[in-house]
Amino acid sequence: MSAKSDNLLAVSLKDAAAGGLIALALFSVLIGMKAEVASGLGGQLGIEYRWVAVAIAVAVVFGGRLLLNLFVWKADKPVTETAGSFMPSAKMLAPLGKYAMPLFLILAVALPFLLLSAYGARGSRQYLDLAILVTTYVMLGWGLNIVVGLAGLLDLGYVAFYAVGAYSYALLAQYFGFSFWICLPLAGILAAFWGIILGFPVLRLRGDYLAIVTLAFGEIIRVVLLNWYEFTGGPDGISGIPRPSFFGLEFKRGEGGFADTFGLDYSSIHRIIFLYYLILIMALITNFVTMRLRKLPVGRAWEALREDEIACRSLGINTTNTKLTAFALGAMFGGFAGSFFATRQGFISPESFTFIESAVILAIVVLGGLGSQIGVVIAAIVMIGGFEFFRGLEEYRMLVFGLLMVVIMVWRPRGLISTRNPSITLSGKKAKGISADLVQEGHG
Amino acid sequence: MSAWDTNPVLTIEHLTMRFGGLVAIDDLSFNVGRGDITALIGPNGAGKTTVFNCVTGFYKPTEGRIVMNRSNGEHYLLERMPDFQISAQAKVARTFQNIRLFGGMTLLENLMVAQHNPLMLASGYSLAGIFGLASFRKAERDAVEKARYWLDKTNLIDRADAPAADLPYGDQRRLEIARAMCSGPELLCLDEPAAGLNPKESAELNALLQYIRKEHDTSILLIEHDMSVVMEISDHVVVLDYGEKISDGSAAEVKDDPKVIAAYLGVPDEEVDTVEEEVGL
Ligand SMILES: Nc1ncnc2c1ncn2[C@@H]1O[C@H](COP(=O)(O)OP(=O)(O)OP(=O)(O)O)[C@@H](O)[C@H]1O
Ligand SMILES: [Mg+2]
């Protein structure tokens, strides 16, 4: 026993020392020397040496690698495995899935009133704004879940459709003066249309190739928006986007406004509450449609596609069309969310549609559990809520955020809620969920 | 002229498939008789699976013609059709040598996916389905009944709501056959359905195949290594070796063909007699 642990220590030390040496070689240049324009000397270029920083970096690499060697890589029982057992197990989360949906729904509907009574009109505004943001991401997550979770197509450029939706609304409103309620469906249709156009060439690819090409398309759309100055305003964006009205009643002070018609005192919070309910309803429609489709032949074909594409083709399923419907539908919901985003902000610019947005939405879907609707809700609350919550930490926020992701992935590698519910049962009863390790993730 | 040449369900003419320099199938022609169980046999790497892949559209043959003659009189040139249409229109279904089930879906779901095309039509390409129209609900009930029928026939009904990946190997093979049958095929291509089965399961499989052939308008083309299965159930045997057809006839004829014996024992024709003596045939 002691011989073995001695040996382990020796091997680990050696490995850590090797890592430290490589780090020393790299960091002595990368960190150790900093090119600087010396101030006061007429802008001469000089080098500042930072050997202490190098020492710290090398020590961190050495120590970290030693610990990883001892406790994870070479250990009989990696801590990453034992750490999982301290957390609530998958079984405990399963009933949560059952009760969480109605609970979340009631909470979501009652939220504005709860906030109003707790913080008053002024104090609750920031919380409502946050709730709107979270719900927008829930909707985006649900939309992307169709593509990634159900059909198993890894789409890294989802934000493109969000952008198409937002810009469709803004441009239609600007050039034709359409109202929100006309633009909303148009924006969705345009986004779906783009989904199909992009999908045709792209969906022949599989796996990593699909991921890379969708990523590129996401960037292309953003770059076009950025550079087509005459049409989209380029980096200046589009401002003065009309606000939504309550079926024709505007949220304004005085005669004919929303507050006046309903005999309320005017308050700017009315519009915020309206926006909140608007996005909540849009998200719920997304969820409803997805849940219905999952039980229809097309939804089953998506899931079958994720499981085994070749078998699908042998059963007469046109896989290209099936993928396209998933892609277009996901794009459409992204477009709806985009036009909501435009009307909420009143101003959009390409900056809001960077790759990081796609990554955040994808992270929500993956953390929540591919294909799980309630998982997306929880992940969106944790991620977007957490993002705002840790705002005080400033640049360390990303670090905390990354750590959180690592912890979740160690604990539940298949996402928070990863059991799959059968779409139909012979017995008519609700069948047992299918454990995640049997379900394929899809190969693009 | 043999029975299978008069009214074939599938005709393969001068089929050649090359992979770069490798000739996997070389000028192969044979017929699959309507209502027959036809066995395609041959040593490992003879090109049997490649024939299946050409018939079901997964490979485009380098040369040759593959004609499916449906019982309603329609003819389909399979080498020109995309794979999914071969199943949907020409009504050719298949199973795979390495089983390809939808493992994370239940048995019932697997069989529902196989009925995708009629259900899709009934659901009005999902529009009628979203609103749950009665016509779609009826079509769905019928599909479930069909699935129930095949689950019953394959002895899998007890596990209908369990995930397919959880089934034992033999059951997975049967489920794959049930799934292929749910797509309503007129030609069923089975790639080594008895591989890995125990004798009891193997006997059940024979009974199932006989039943399918008798009760449904379905001809069967199967690849098989187990000679006892081949001899027992097949009406017609085609033997491949290195991509070429070396024998074609009834099971009894093929069994005594010296070329076949040579191919299976791996010796040139001239030495067959001596080898046979040695092994006591
Ligand atoms: N996609 C491909 N690319 C290149 N060569 C292939 C391909 N598919 C099959 N082959 C080759 O064609 C030949 C025939 O293969 P095939 O799989 O049809 O044999 P088989 O008769 O089914 O053998 P087994 O009894 O082992 O299943 C083999 O030499 C194989 O390596
Ligand atoms: Mg084979």
Side-chain angles (χ1 to χ4, degrees):
Chain A
M1 180 62 218
S2 83
K4 188 165 177 264
S5 53
D6 278 355
N7 191 11
L8 175 67
L9 189 63
V11 172
S12 305
L13 271 174
K14 231 164 106 184
D15 183 80
L21 263 179
I22 295 175
L24 181 66
L26 283 175
F27 290 155
S28 55
V29 193
L30 287 178
I31 297 180
M33 298 172 210
K34 187 179 172 209
E36 242 196 354
V37 183
S39 53
L41 286 174
Q44 251 177 344
L45 214 57
I47 293 182
E48 186 197 331
Y49 296 97
R50 301 186 293 185
W51 299 124
V52 179
V54 175
I56 292 174
V58 171
V60 166
V61 169
F62 178 81
R65 202 158 167 102
L66 187 65
L67 289 178
L68 275 174
N69 263 318
L70 283 178
F71 295 111
V72 183
W73 293 334
K74 298 208 170 72
D76 303 329
K77 263 192 105 185
V79 272
T80 42
E81 267 172 34
T82 29
S85 62
F86 294 128
M87 313 241 200
S89 74
K91 289 215 178 58
M92 288 167 68
L93 275 177
L96 191 113
K98 201 159 117 200
Y99 299 114
M101 211 58 170
L103 206 77
F104 270 116
L105 192 62
I106 293 170
L107 199 67
V109 172
L111 187 73
F113 300 103
L114 291 178
L115 285 174
L116 274 181
S117 60
Y119 298 104
R122 240 167 209 294
S124 57
R125 175 159 180 167
Q126 56 162 325
Y127 295 105
L128 265 178
D129 271 333
L130 180 60
I132 291 174
L133 192 67
V134 169
T135 318
T136 313
Y137 277 96
V138 169
M139 177 165 176
L140 287 168
W142 277 340
L144 186 62
N145 211 2
I146 298 176
V147 185
V148 182
L150 293 183
L153 306 164
L154 186 51
D155 181 356
L156 292 183
Y158 191 61
V159 78
F161 307 121
Y162 191 39
V164 168
Y167 269 87
S168 303
Y169 172 45
L171 292 170
L172 284 171
Q174 195 179 45
Y175 286 100
F176 300 103
F178 289 165
S179 78
F180 175 74
W181 294 104
I182 299 175
C183 289
L184 180 72
L186 284 179
I189 290 168
L190 277 172
F193 179 67
W194 270 107
I196 291 173
I197 290 191
L198 299 193
F200 251 118
V202 165
L203 290 175
R204 287 169 200 282
L205 305 171
R206 289 166 60 95
D208 308 348
Y209 300 100
L210 178 70
I212 288 168
V213 174
T214 49
L215 187 153
F217 265 121
E219 285 300 285
I220 287 172
I221 295 233
R222 191 177 62 86
V223 171
V224 167
L225 293 177
L226 200 57
N227 288 297
W228 197 354
Y229 192 82
E230 304 78 48
F231 188 53
T232 65
D236 303 344
I238 301 174
S239 52
I241 299 169
R243 301 299 187 146
S245 54
F246 184 81
F247 303 105
L249 292 177
E250 276 178 46
F251 291 92
K252 62 178 185 195
R253 207 181 281 277
E255 279 286 295
F258 173 80
D260 181 50
T261 316
F262 286 90
L264 301 166
D265 287 334
Y266 172 80
S267 158
S268 64
I269 198 80
H270 291 160
R271 197 181 67 226
I272 309 287
I273 294 178
F274 172 69
L275 282 174
Y276 173 74
Y277 279 117
L278 183 63
I279 186 67
L280 185 64
I281 289 170
M282 280 164 60
L284 288 175
I285 289 175
T286 311
N287 181 41
F288 172 78
V289 171
T290 314
M291 295 310 268
R292 288 286 326 184
L293 285 176
R294 215 176 83 84
K295 294 186 191 318
L296 290 181
V298 67
R300 252 177 243 130
W302 290 338
E303 292 201 79
L305 207 62
R306 179 191 67 201
E307 295 283 329
D308 194 324
E309 183 174 346
I310 292 190
C312 278
R313 298 216 303 261
S314 85
L315 294 170
I317 295 175
N318 185 338
T319 49
T320 315
N321 284 359
T322 309
K323 284 181 187 177
L324 269 180
T325 52
F327 216 62
L329 216 70
M332 187 177 83
F333 289 124
F336 286 151
S339 69
F340 173 81
F341 176 78
T343 194
R344 180 176 95 105
Q345 301 285 20
F347 165 77
I348 51 170
S349 76
E351 242 164 78
S352 313
F353 308 106
T354 51
F355 168 67
I356 197 77
E357 290 298 313
S358 294
V360 167
I361 303 165
L362 187 66
I364 287 175
V365 174
V366 173
L367 283 184
L370 288 176
S372 159
Q373 299 291 89
I374 191 70
V376 166
V377 178
I378 298 172
I381 293 174
V382 171
M383 284 200 43
I384 305 302
F387 231 69
E388 298 302 311
F389 188 75
F390 289 119
R391 210 170 257 292
L393 295 178
E394 306 203 344
E395 65 260 62
Y396 297 109
R397 194 161 63 139
M398 268 310 197
L399 200 70
V400 172
F401 186 66
L403 266 178
L404 193 77
M405 293 256 268
V406 170
V407 167
I408 292 184
M409 281 295 135
V410 165
W411 169 43
R412 317 258 2 232
R414 301 294 299 252
L416 290 170
I417 311 276
S418 48
T419 46
R420 170 181 180 274
N421 284 324
S423 62
I424 188 170
T425 61
L426 196 62
S427 52
K429 288 193 298 261
K430 224 171 129 68
K432 260 187 34 213
I434 296 171
S435 127
D437 24 304
L438 300 178
V439 179
Q440 300 291 317
E441 286 149 339
H443 308 280
Chain B
M1 192 142 167
S2 314
W4 43 84
D5 292 329
T6 48
N7 180 21
V9 63
L10 183 78
T11 308
I12 295 181
E13 290 168 2
H14 305 292
L15 181 67
T16 300
M17 182 78 218
R18 272 191 279 269
F19 298 107
L22 178 89
V23 185
I25 308 173
D26 191 8
D27 195 22
L28 174 72
S29 304
F30 69 91
N31 287 326
V32 177
R34 194 176 302 280
D36 281 356
I37 295 184
T38 306
L40 186 61
I41 66 171
N44 287 108
K48 307 178 295 293
T49 301
T50 307
V51 173
F52 269 33
N53 283 337
C54 289
V55 169
T56 49
F58 285 93
Y59 293 162
K60 289 285 156 249
T62 322
E63 279 166 39
R65 207 160 84 122
I66 307 170
V67 190
M68 172 75 193
N69 307 300
R70 280 191 55 181
S71 48
N72 61 7
E74 285 167 357
H75 303 284
Y76 292 91
L77 296 176
L78 301 190
E79 78 279 4
R80 296 189 188 167
M81 294 167 71
D83 44 21
F84 68 92
Q85 280 179 7
I86 290 181
S87 169
Q89 291 167 20
K91 293 287 167 202
V92 179
R94 73 171 291 181
T95 65
F96 296 87
Q97 188 166 355
N98 44 350
I99 307 174
R100 285 184 174 275
L101 290 169
F102 307 124
M105 303 173 85
T106 66
L107 307 203
L108 180 63
E109 285 180 305
N110 268 273
L111 301 195
M112 295 297 280
V113 173
Q115 304 178 58
H116 177 80
N117 287 318
L119 279 176
M120 200 67 185
L121 213 63
S123 76
Y125 296 92
S126 302
L127 286 178
I130 287 198
F131 300 108
L133 292 194
S135 63
F136 170 68
R137 285 211 305 273
K138 178 170 182 316
E140 191 175 58
R141 265 199 309 277
D142 292 347
V144 172
E145 276 319 304
K146 189 166 180 182
R148 187 198 297 273
Y149 172 85
W150 283 109
L151 284 173
D152 211 26
K153 283 284 165 268
T154 46
N155 269 331
L156 294 168
I157 192 88
D158 297 337
R159 310 199 55 172
D161 294 334
D166 258 357
L167 289 181
Y169 189 78
D171 291 356
Q172 294 200 4
R173 284 244 173 252
R174 284 209 306 286
L175 177 61
E176 220 190 1
I177 296 177
R179 188 180 66 181
M181 284 313 293
C182 274
S183 66
E186 290 186 13
L187 176 66
L188 177 63
C189 301
L190 304 173
D191 200 341
E192 305 203 11
L197 300 192
N198 62 36
K200 180 169 161 281
E201 288 173 326
S202 191
E204 280 170 9
L205 177 75
N206 285 357
L208 175 66
L209 297 188
Q210 305 266 24
Y211 176 84
I212 288 174
R213 182 255 295 267
K214 204 162 96 236
E215 300 295 326
H216 295 266
D217 175 27
T218 305
S219 318
I220 296 177
L221 174 63
L222 84 160
I223 295 175
E224 194 45 79
H225 276 301
D226 185 340
M227 276 318 193
S228 63
V229 175
V230 173
M231 292 305 150
E232 192 183 325
I233 63 169
S234 45
D235 309 287
H236 173 195
V237 181
V238 176
V239 190
L240 280 188
D241 190 20
Y242 293 110
E244 285 179 59
K245 184 168 85 173
I246 57 171
S247 188
D248 184 343
S250 71
E253 285 163 19
V254 165
K255 195 172 72 171
D256 295 328
D257 189 333
K259 273 192 183 148
V260 177
I261 298 169
Y264 269 84
L265 295 176
V267 292
D269 293 356
E270 312 81 70
E271 293 169 32
V272 167
D273 287 339
T274 47
V275 173
E276 276 189 338
E277 262 166 46
E278 278 166 25
V279 299
L281 256 170

